[in-house]
């Protein structure tokens, strides 16, 4: 039995859910998301209870893959419902003297100490806003938002000696002492 999979996903008012074959479409005020789930998992939408339920066949109860997919599918659906109602946001900070970030059209320009600036394509459905040294990545799809934020951070990870780099806003960098000179 999956502890996560057997819980229903509550759908707030103003969110439309439609299920066709193995595709679930969820539409809300922040956008529209779609998920194609595996055939081992059955997804049902109950209009009267305003909830989405996931289940597997009794014959698949001993199948580890089916049980894993059951919980994962439910978690993805919950993230989709939250994404189209509230949205997701991840903030990054560019730390370094003269290091900047800017949005130019559909690209994020990072000047982080290399000879040339780094340009990153902003995916559809993701919004990037830059305020001085803070980069805010937001959108309805959790996976897209977190993936883009992670890729941005990977361009220049924070280093432990000076603390320079691109870091998450809530991230704390443990500083190392460095070399000792003299006797």
């Amino acid at each position: 039995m999956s502890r996560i999979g057997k819980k229903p996903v509550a759908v707030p008012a103003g969110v439309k859910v439609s299920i066709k074959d193995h595709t679930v479409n969820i539409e809300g005020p922040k956008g529209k998301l779609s998920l194609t789930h595996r055939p081992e998992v059955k997804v049902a939408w109950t209009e009267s209870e305003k909830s989405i339920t996931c289940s597997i066949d009794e014959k698949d109860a001993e199948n580890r893959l089916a049980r894993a997919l059951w919980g994962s599918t439910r978690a993805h659906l919950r993230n989709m419902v939250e994404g189209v109602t509230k949205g997701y946001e991840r903030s990054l900070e560019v730390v370094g003297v003269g290091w900047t970030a800017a949005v130019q059209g559909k690209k994020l320009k990072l000047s982080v100490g290399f000879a040339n600036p780094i340009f990153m394509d902003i995916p559809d459905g993701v919004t990037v806003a830059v305020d001085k040294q803070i980069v805010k990545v937001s959108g309805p799809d959790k996976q897209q938002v977190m993936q883009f934020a992670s890729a941005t951070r990977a361009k220049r990870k924070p280093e432990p000696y000076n603390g320079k780099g691109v870091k998450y806003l809530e991230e704390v960098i443990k500083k190392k002492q460095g070399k000792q000179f003299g006797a």
Side-chain angles (χ1 to χ4, degrees):
M1 248 356 230
S2 172
R3 289 180 293 152
I4 305 249
K6 63 184 176 185
K7 294 179 183 176
V9 178
V11 178
V15 175
K16 296 177 188 168
V17 178
S18 64
I19 300 172
K20 184 177 181 188
D21 295 329
H22 294 293
T23 304
V24 180
N25 294 312
I26 299 177
E27 189 173 352
K30 296 275 185 182
K32 183 178 182 179
L33 296 174
S34 178
L35 171 74
T36 303
H37 61 85
R38 294 280 300 261
E40 291 94 340
V41 182
K42 291 177 179 48
V43 178
W45 159 243
T46 310
E47 183 70 41
S48 61
E49 296 177 15
K50 289 279 194 191
S51 66
I52 302 171
T53 54
C54 298
S55 62
I56 57 172
D57 283 337
E58 291 295 324
K59 64 178 176 66
D60 287 335
E62 297 300 317
N63 185 353
R64 289 178 63 107
L65 176 65
R67 288 196 320 258
L69 292 171
W70 184 16
S72 295
T73 303
R74 190 260 180 206
H76 287 306
L77 291 171
R78 190 199 145 279
N79 288 340
M80 288 169 59
V81 169
E82 188 174 328
V84 297
T85 53
K86 299 178 193 168
Y88 287 98
E89 183 176 288
R90 193 71 195 232
S91 298
L92 299 127
E93 184 178 10
V94 180
V95 180
V97 177
W99 291 14
T100 60
V103 176
Q104 293 182 345
K106 288 291 288 173
K107 292 186 182 279
L108 175 66
K109 177 185 173 188
L110 294 171
S111 300
V112 287
F114 295 121
N116 297 317
I118 298 169
F119 289 95
M120 296 180 65
D121 291 326
I122 300 171
D124 293 335
V126 174
T127 308
V128 178
V130 178
D131 181 37
K132 295 182 183 174
Q133 301 297 97
I134 308 295
V135 179
K136 290 188 191 252
V137 181
S138 59
D141 190 356
K142 183 176 185 178
Q143 199 269 330
Q144 265 190 332
V145 168
M146 301 305 170
Q147 178 69 42
F148 186 74
S150 176
T152 304
R153 182 183 181 275
K155 295 299 178 186
R156 190 71 182 233
K157 289 183 182 173
E159 51 98 7
Y161 294 103
N162 297 324
K164 295 182 352 180
V166 180
K167 69 180 191 80
Y168 297 122
L169 199 59
E170 64 276 357
E171 184 178 13
V172 177
I173 306 301
K174 286 186 179 178
K175 286 192 149 189
K176 291 185 179 178
Q177 188 173 4
K179 292 184 179 178
Q180 295 291 326
F181 291 103

